[in-house]
């Protein structure tokens, strides 16, 4: 089974008011395990015309904001409006599992998916789609691997 793991850095916790600063994605095939450095990766800093967010989140991401402001060549950069186009091109090249995506990541369904929807111009009540790729409603959350029977969820 292939899984698209997603991790976002943002300017806060509210996907309506705060912004995505960085997108990180990795495609892993659970039936054909490879080291991380051999997996297809998408990692981009996202440029917006203005930034706003929670002071603590902005402080935590000061290094990323500096890299965006200075167009630091150690990072790949793209404008917020170009994200969908480049994600589709990347998926077309690397995702060889049809047009349905298994998505995974720590708290991906509750945090990353709503931010991706906002970034891609999708309302929160619509399912997440990246171009012609539909994202399955169930997500793989590695945090579940560490739950114990006595944990209070």
């Amino acid at each position: 089974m292939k899984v698209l793991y997603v991790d976002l850095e943002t300017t806060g916790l509210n996907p309506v008011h705060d912004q995505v600063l960085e997108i990180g994605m990795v495609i892993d095939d659970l039936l054909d395990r490879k080291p991380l450095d051999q997996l297809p990766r998408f990692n981009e800093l996202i440029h917006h015309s203005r930034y706003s967010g929670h002071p603590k989140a902005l402080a935590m991401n000061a290094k990323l904001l500096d890299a965006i402001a200075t167009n630091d060549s150690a990072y790949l950069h793209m404008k917020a409006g170009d994200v969908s186009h480049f994600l589709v091109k990347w998926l077309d090249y690397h995702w060889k599992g049809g047009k349905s995506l298994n998505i995974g990541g720590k708290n991906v369904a509750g945090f990353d998916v709503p931010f991706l929807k906002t970034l891609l111009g999708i309302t929160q009540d619509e399912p997440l789609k990246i171009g012609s790729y539909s994202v399955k409603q169930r997500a793989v959350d590695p945090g579940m691997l560490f739950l114990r029977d006595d944990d209070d969820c």
Side-chain angles (χ1 to χ4, degrees), residues 44-48 51 63-79:
E44 301 276 342
L45 294 182
I46 309 303
H47 288 254
H48 301 271
Y51 292 88
K63 186 175 177 181
L64 290 179
L65 288 163
D66 183 61
I68 291 168
T70 61
N71 235 359
D72 187 335
S73 63
Y75 297 87
L76 297 174
H77 301 258
M78 71 173 49
K79 292 180 182 175

Side-chain angles (χ1 to χ4, degrees), residues 108-127:
V108 69
F111 184 82
D112 301 280
V113 167
F115 271 95
L116 277 175
K117 285 180 178 181
T118 299
L119 182 63
L120 300 175
I122 300 168
T123 63
Q124 294 302 318
D125 58 339
E126 294 178 81

Side-chain angles (χ1 to χ4, degrees), residues 45-145:
L45 294 182
I46 309 303
H47 288 254
H48 301 271
S49 58
R50 296 184 58 80
Y51 292 88
S52 63
H54 190 276
K56 186 166 185 157
L58 294 171
M60 279 178 41
N61 289 300
K63 186 175 177 181
L64 290 179
L65 288 163
D66 183 61
I68 291 168
T70 61
N71 235 359
D72 187 335
S73 63
Y75 297 87
L76 297 174
H77 301 258
M78 71 173 49
K79 292 180 182 175
D82 295 334
V83 171
S84 181
H85 171 78
F86 286 106
L87 272 178
V88 168
K89 284 183 138 338
W90 181 76
L91 287 168
D92 285 345
Y93 187 79
H94 293 289
W95 187 266
K96 307 298 183 205
K99 293 290 185 173
S100 182
L101 302 172
N102 300 304
I103 195 167
K106 181 68 182 121
N107 200 22
V108 69
F111 184 82
D112 301 280
V113 167
F115 271 95
L116 277 175
K117 285 180 178 181
T118 299
L119 182 63
L120 300 175
I122 300 168
T123 63
Q124 294 302 318
D125 58 339
E126 294 178 81
L128 176 59
K129 289 187 70 132
I130 303 170
S132 60
Y133 293 89
S134 60
V135 176
K136 292 182 181 177
Q137 293 299 310
R138 292 186 180 211
V140 177
D141 189 333
M144 293 302 294
L145 300 173

